[in-house]
């Protein structure tokens, strides 16, 4: 038997990748049905939509048998108003199908960003389109993605909106429709507050670029557009829901405990791991100090990566930092594990070495093991009495994120353009390894953005 030729493999890979994706998604769909998932968060969204249509008090509602409250800004509730018009079965089916499509979009956007700026040896131009189905086929079985679909959550939508805007970062390659630059981040922040950290990241990057004598305008324009989209969506919600908007922005948004007890195993933020480490439901100043320290460090790394022309590392670092410092980051919020895993694995392949590959494989495996659910958890709040092993298992996502920030800091410390052993010496420009038409489109897009 002769080995398949490379050309034949290239021809058959798209078909195989698509088939793998379809089989994986079908198996996932069956597994979720057999597990009897109720999509409890989707039911909360439906109740929020009903409250808007009925003129009820949005932030007084308690939905499902778990008495879950509304925790998102009022603009999100406006988007949920079509849900009460659908039957429960149809709504769940559409939510699952929509999330699977969003997972494909997340995989595609991740690979496109990595492809656009890999450094020494650029990936083949069509790799993103070819690799996205295979990446999605694996990612759907990760704990954050599984739980997102199990609950009917909107985490994939939020992440896709942010990564859509990451295409417009300098160094992100040619991207059409630059008039919409900033819309993704602005709308994501209006739906769920955590992405607002990306606006701070854009502003800070512009300031640092200006101080260094670089071009600050592309960053400030993106930040301005994101702010305008956020304010526009928030103003629309205030016009339609003035009472609920006043209630939310006058204090409800600060009530982090509305979402649940901070020490819950599912809370994979710094506040969650400190609550479990200190055996208290209120880590107080310890959490505030840790959040400020990690937030400053994470933003610093993201800015450094952005100014080195590595938009994928910059955006993913900012996303991981936002989840770390947020008061509550449930395990299903960590769908950022998809770009995190792709970046560290591609970096390990590029650098070589056993330690690089072991670390990258370990970080990726963390999100596939479901290990945080191996520890006792429940309404009796056993997380307040964890031992060392239980604590480590319930802190895996923040620990993996801190490891990712360390890797991102190393990447951001290298001269822009090349990231591997063949990198040019610091201070020397690295030529773009991109086709002339693509480079010209990128330059034209940046100029158009700067003129806005």
């Amino acid at each position: 038997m002769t080995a398949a030729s490379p050309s034949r493999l290239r021809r058959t890979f798209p078909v195989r990748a698509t088939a793998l994706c379809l089989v994986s998604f079908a198996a996932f769909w069956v597994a979720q049905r057999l597990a009897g998932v109720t999509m409890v968060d989707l039911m909360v969204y439906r109740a929020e939509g009903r409250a808007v249509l009925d003129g009820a008090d949005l932030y007084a509602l308690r939905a499902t048998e778990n008495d879950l409250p509304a925790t998102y800004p009022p603009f999100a509730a406006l988007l949920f108003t079509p849900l009460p018009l659908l039957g429960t079965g149809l709504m769940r089916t559409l939510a699952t199908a929509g999330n699977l499509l969003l997972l494909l979009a997340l995989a595609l956007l991740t690979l496109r960003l990595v492809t656009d700026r890999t450094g020494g040896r650029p990936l083949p131009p069509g790799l993103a389109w070819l690799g996205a189905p295979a990446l999605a086929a694996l990612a759907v079985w990760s704990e954050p993605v599984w739980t997102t679909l199990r609950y009917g959550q909107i985490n994939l939508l939020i992440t896709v909106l942010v990564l859509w805007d990451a295409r417009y970062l300098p160094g992100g390659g040619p991207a059409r429709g630059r008039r919409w630059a900033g819309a993704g981040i602005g709308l994501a922040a209006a739906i769920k507050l955590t992405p607002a950290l990306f606006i701070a990241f854009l502003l800070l990057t512009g300031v640092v670029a200006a101080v260094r004598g670089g071009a600050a305008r592309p960053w400030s324009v993106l930040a301005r557009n994101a702010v305008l989209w956020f304010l526009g969506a928030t103003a629309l919600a205030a016009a339609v829901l003035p009472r609920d908007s006043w209630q939310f922005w006058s204090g409800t948004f600060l009530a982090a405990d509305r979402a649940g007890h901070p020490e819950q195993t599912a809370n994979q933020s710094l506040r969650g791991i400190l609550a479990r480490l200190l055996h208290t439901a209120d880590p107080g100043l310890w959490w505030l100090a840790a959040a400020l320290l990690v937030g400053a460090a994470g933003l610093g790394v993201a800015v450094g990566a952005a100014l080195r022309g590595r938009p994928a590392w910059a955006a993913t670092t900012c996303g991981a930092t936002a989840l770390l410092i947020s008061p509550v980051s449930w395990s299903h919020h960590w769908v950022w594990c998809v770009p995190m895993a792709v970046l560290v694995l591609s970096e390990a392949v590029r650098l070589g070495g056993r330690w690089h590959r072991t670390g990258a494989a370990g970080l990726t495996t963390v999100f596939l093991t479901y290990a945080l659910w191996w520890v006792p958890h429940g309404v009796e709040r056993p997380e307040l009495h964890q031992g060392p092993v239980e604590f480590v298992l319930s802190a895996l996502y923040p620990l993996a994120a801190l490891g990712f920030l360390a890797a991102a800091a190393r990447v951001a410390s290298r001269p822009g353009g090349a990231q591997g052993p063949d990198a040019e010496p610091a201070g020397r420009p690295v030529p773009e390894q991109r086709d002339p038409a693509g480079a010209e489109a990128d330059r034209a897009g940046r100029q158009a953005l700067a003129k806005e």
Side-chain angles (χ1 to χ4, degrees), residues 71-89:
T71 59
Y72 297 166
F75 179 67
L78 288 182
L79 301 182
F80 298 149
T81 51
L83 297 182
L85 308 179
L86 302 173
T88 301

Side-chain angles (χ1 to χ4, degrees), residues 52-347:
V52 171
L53 295 176
D54 294 345
D57 187 340
L58 179 62
Y59 296 103
L61 75 82
R62 291 295 184 272
T64 77
E65 61 185 14
N66 299 313
D67 290 330
L68 298 175
T71 59
Y72 297 166
F75 179 67
L78 288 182
L79 301 182
F80 298 149
T81 51
L83 297 182
L85 308 179
L86 302 173
T88 301
L90 177 60
M91 179 181 66
R92 289 173 175 167
T93 299
L94 292 177
T96 300
N99 266 327
L100 291 176
L101 290 175
L102 285 169
L103 178 58
L104 275 169
L106 172 59
L108 177 61
L109 288 170
T110 297
L111 292 175
R112 284 188 64 182
L113 281 171
V114 173
T115 300
D116 280 337
R117 189 62 98 158
T118 57
R121 286 182 289 272
L123 300 174
L127 179 64
W129 290 97
L130 296 179
L135 176 59
L138 176 62
V140 74
W141 298 99
S142 66
E143 191 276 338
V145 176
W146 168 278
T147 313
T148 286
L149 275 86
R150 173 189 176 189
Y151 293 149
Q153 263 281 344
I154 59 173
N155 307 301
L156 289 167
L157 172 63
I158 298 298
T159 308
V160 165
L161 285 172
V162 172
L163 283 182
W164 180 267
D165 265 358
R167 301 176 310 133
Y168 302 112
L169 298 180
R176 299 178 179 177
R178 288 182 180 268
R179 70 181 64 183
W180 300 102
I185 291 174
L187 291 175
I191 296 170
K192 207 169 185 178
L193 289 178
T194 308
L197 187 68
F198 284 88
I199 299 177
F201 153 70
L202 292 172
L203 291 171
L204 184 58
T205 306
V207 170
V208 175
V211 170
R212 293 183 177 181
R217 187 165 179 77
W219 306 100
S220 60
V221 168
L222 274 172
R224 179 201 67 190
N225 292 351
V227 170
L228 290 176
W229 277 94
F230 169 78
L231 293 178
T234 302
L236 174 62
V240 178
L241 303 169
R243 178 190 60 193
D244 296 321
S245 295
W246 171 257
Q247 182 178 351
F248 182 83
W249 295 111
S250 64
T252 298
F253 78 99
L254 295 173
D257 289 347
R258 281 172 57 88
H261 299 302
E263 78 279 358
Q264 287 180 254
T265 301
N267 186 12
Q268 294 291 295
S269 68
L270 291 174
R271 184 168 178 250
I273 64 173
L274 284 173
R276 295 188 288 272
L277 175 65
L278 301 175
H279 307 295
T280 176
D282 184 16
L285 292 178
W286 289 104
W287 166 65
L288 182 60
L292 289 174
L293 177 63
V294 173
L299 280 177
V301 172
V303 169
L307 295 178
R308 294 289 191 183
R310 298 185 174 98
W313 283 95
T316 307
T317 297
C318 190
T321 301
L323 293 177
L324 283 170
I325 67 175
S326 174
V328 177
S329 292
W330 302 127
S331 69
H332 51 76
H333 293 167
W334 285 91
V335 293
W336 280 98
C337 70
V338 177
M340 286 169 63
V342 169
L343 288 171
V344 296
L345 288 171
S346 63
E347 183 72 2

